[in-house]
Amino acid sequence: MTPRRVLIYHPDEADAYARLVRAPRGAVRLDVCFAPEQAAAPIAEAEILYAWKFPPDLLARAGHLRWIQAMGAGVERFLVRDLPSRVQITRATGMFGAWMAEYALGWCAWVTQRMDAFREAQRQRRWLALDPQPLHSRTLAVMGLGDIGLAVARAGAALGMRAIGVSRRGKKSRGLAAVYRPPALKRALGQADFAVVVLPLTAHTRGLIGEAELRAMKPTAWLVNIGRGPVIDERALLRALAGKWIAGAILDVFETEPLPPDHPLWAMPNVVVTPHISGPSVPAEIAPVFNDNLRRYLQGRRLRYLVDRARAY
Ligand code: GLV
């Protein structure tokens, strides 16, 4: 049997991912690449691409490709027009919810526990008698209720928050007080003390949260974006933050990444900028998903966590 060609691509950790691949002896041949110029030849031979931040323009050369396993949750980089329809895409699922719930609720608590103020007062050896605010009893609205959004919502509910959400189908879900469909987005945002955005980037979600949606929020509310930057209209967000339509924003994703050094968001007092780290891809966490799907692929069985290419997530 000729071994199946697998291209493993990751700018920093391709070798760590490669070491964790498990397949019957001789079943696969791995090409391990860290940079676009290294991947340009092997992508033409690859049947399977296992990748993070793969250069989309190289997909036009992927003449033998059958399956892409993303090392992350978002797959928009792979959904290029040149990608033949025979290529199945699967995403990494199951490992990001816990990370991103900790990130989202951790930063919500940073707001309510006034962590910045107490650290600053400590630096000045000043006894700052300031009460914290509660997270419990506050409304947490989560936009996008895939496995990550649900984990965020349920973590909030476990802290006593009133968790609500918005999803495409608006289906009720355990732990959530209400779930709305997209036409009721402003209604959900208007109730939020904390609004967490975990939407994938698709033609429907690009720019979904714009001026009207931000104006629907309470002036005391915080916006947390851990999905994709372009889901929020960044210019409208800048106006919302400067004009105090909302209290502040915790932003892990941006229209342009890395966020350019001269970008106004860096200097805003009511903004926290983190560099797209809320849901880290850890090789040991992603490997079981790939290995399970690889076994299925080699046996000709249906893959898990398939992306619906028409829906784009
Ligand atoms: C990170 O952004 C991912 O898509 O997993």
Side-chain angles (χ1 to χ4, degrees), residues 52 72-74 96 228 276 279 281:
W52 170 248
F96 297 118
R228 285 291 184 262
H276 201 142
S281 291

Side-chain angles (χ1 to χ4, degrees), residues 234 238 241 259-269 271 273:
E234 214 161 81
L238 286 167
L241 290 162
L259 189 65
D262 59 349
H263 198 288
L265 281 171
W266 285 112
M268 297 187 104
V271 172
V273 170

